[in-house]
C-alpha cells in the first residue's frame, strides 16, 4: 500500500474521504491474516488488533488498530468501545514493558496521515538505543527505514508468548 505523504501545507490526498471511511487504508487490511504487510499480528483484543510494525528505527514499535468498525476519532467511540480499546492498548503496553528493558513507553493517537483510530506504542530506552532520550521521537524515525526481519520475527514470537501468558 502506498500512501501519499502530506506537504507542509496540506492534508494527504483523499484524507476527508478516508476520514469518512471511504476507501480507508486501514479498513482494507485483512484482519484474518497474521501478517498485514505493515506488521506482524501480536494480539487480537476485544475491539482491536496489535501489530509489531516493520517500519522505523525503534525496535518494538507497535500499532494497536481499532478493528470493530471504521472510526477516525476517539470521540466517535461508545464508552464501552473506548474502554475496550484502552484495555487492548494497555495489554500490549504491559507485554512490551515485560519483554523489553524500557525506560518509558510513549502512547500516540494521531491519525494525521491515516484517519483511522490506532495507537502507536513507542518503546523508549537508554541512549544510544533510543533515538531521542528524554525528548520526543521524530515521526520520521518511526516511519522511515525497516526493522530487521529476523529480529522482528523473533520479537513477535516472544511477545505472543508474553501476551498468551497474560490471558
Amino acid at each position: 500500500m502506498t500512501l501519499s505523504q502530506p506537504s507542509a501545507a496540506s492534508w494527504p490526498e483523499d484524507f476527508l474521504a478516508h476520514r469518512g471511511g471511504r476507501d480507508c487504508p486501514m479498513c482494507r487490511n485483512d484482519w484474518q491474516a497474521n501478517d498485514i504487510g505493515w506488521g506482524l499480528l501480536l494480539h487480537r483484543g476485544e475491539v482491536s488488533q496489535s501489530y509489531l510494525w516493520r517500519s522505523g528505527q525503534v525496535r518494538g514499535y507497535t500499532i494497536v488498530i481499532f478493528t470493530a468498525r471504521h472510526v477516525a476519532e476517539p470521540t466517535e467511540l461508545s464508552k464501552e468501545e473506548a474502554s475496550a480499546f484502552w484495555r487492548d492498548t494497555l495489554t500490549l503496553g504491559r507485554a512490551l514493558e515485560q519483554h523489553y528493558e524500557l525506560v518509558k513507553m510513549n502512547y500516540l493517537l494521531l491519525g494525521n496521515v491515516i484517519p483511522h483510530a490506532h495507537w502507536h506504542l513507542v518503546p523508549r530506552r537508554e541512549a544510544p538505543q533510543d533515538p531521542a532520550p528524554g525528548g520526543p521521537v521524530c515521526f520520521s524515525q518511526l516511519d522511515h527505514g525497516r526493522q530487521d526481519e529476523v529480529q522482528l520475527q523473533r520479537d513477535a514470537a516472544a511477545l505472543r508468548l508474553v501476551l498468551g501468558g497474560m490471558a
Side-chain angles (χ1 to χ4, degrees), residues 13 19 26-27 33 55-56 62 70 74 77 119 123 133 136 142 145 156 159 167:
E13 186 178 342
R19 189 181 189 290
M26 281 205 181
C27 289
S55 69
T62 56
H70 177 79
L77 298 168
W119 285 99
L142 301 176
L159 285 162

Side-chain angles (χ1 to χ4, degrees), residues 54-85:
R54 282 195 165 91
S55 69
Q57 303 156 33
V58 177
R59 183 175 169 209
Y61 173 43
T62 56
I63 305 291
V64 181
I65 304 171
F66 188 81
T67 56
R69 61 189 173 92
H70 177 79
V71 171
E73 300 293 341
T75 53
E76 297 170 18
L77 298 168
S78 70
K79 289 180 183 180
E80 294 77 17
E81 289 172 326
S83 294
F85 193 27

Side-chain angles (χ1 to χ4, degrees), residues 18-38:
H18 294 164
R19 189 181 189 290
R22 289 183 303 281
D23 202 28
C24 170
M26 281 205 181
C27 289
R28 288 191 312 239
N29 283 311
D30 177 0
W31 300 123
Q32 301 307 310
N34 290 325
D35 184 339
I36 59 170
W38 295 357

Side-chain angles (χ1 to χ4, degrees), residues 29-165:
N29 283 311
D30 177 0
W31 300 123
Q32 301 307 310
N34 290 325
D35 184 339
I36 59 170
W38 295 357
L40 302 174
L41 179 68
L42 295 176
H43 183 252
R44 286 186 170 92
E46 294 177 61
V47 295
S48 64
Q49 293 186 188
S50 305
Y51 296 88
L52 187 59
W53 227 233
R54 282 195 165 91
S55 69
Q57 303 156 33
V58 177
R59 183 175 169 209
Y61 173 43
T62 56
I63 305 291
V64 181
I65 304 171
F66 188 81
T67 56
R69 61 189 173 92
H70 177 79
V71 171
E73 300 293 341
T75 53
E76 297 170 18
L77 298 168
S78 70
K79 289 180 183 180
E80 294 77 17
E81 289 172 326
S83 294
F85 193 27
W86 187 235
R87 280 192 302 272
D88 290 349
T89 302
L90 292 178
T91 296
L92 182 65
R94 288 182 182 106
L96 292 168
E97 288 173 352
Q98 186 173 331
H99 178 66
Y100 299 108
E101 295 179 24
L102 304 180
V103 172
K104 173 81 174 94
M105 179 71 71
N106 289 168
Y107 295 84
L108 309 161
L109 183 70
L110 303 170
N112 295 324
V113 175
I114 301 176
H116 184 109
H118 62 286
W119 285 99
H120 299 253
L121 277 65
V122 184
R124 304 302 303 274
R125 298 173 173 85
E126 293 283 349
Q129 296 170 320
D130 194 285
V137 173
C138 293
F139 198 79
S140 65
Q141 292 167 317
L142 301 176
D143 199 37
H144 300 299
R146 298 282 282 186
Q147 299 290 320
D148 176 78
E149 188 67 24
V150 171
Q151 185 65 61
L152 187 81
Q153 295 285 344
R154 276 192 217 128
D155 284 350
L159 285 162
R160 287 182 197 115
L161 286 174
V162 171
L163 286 158

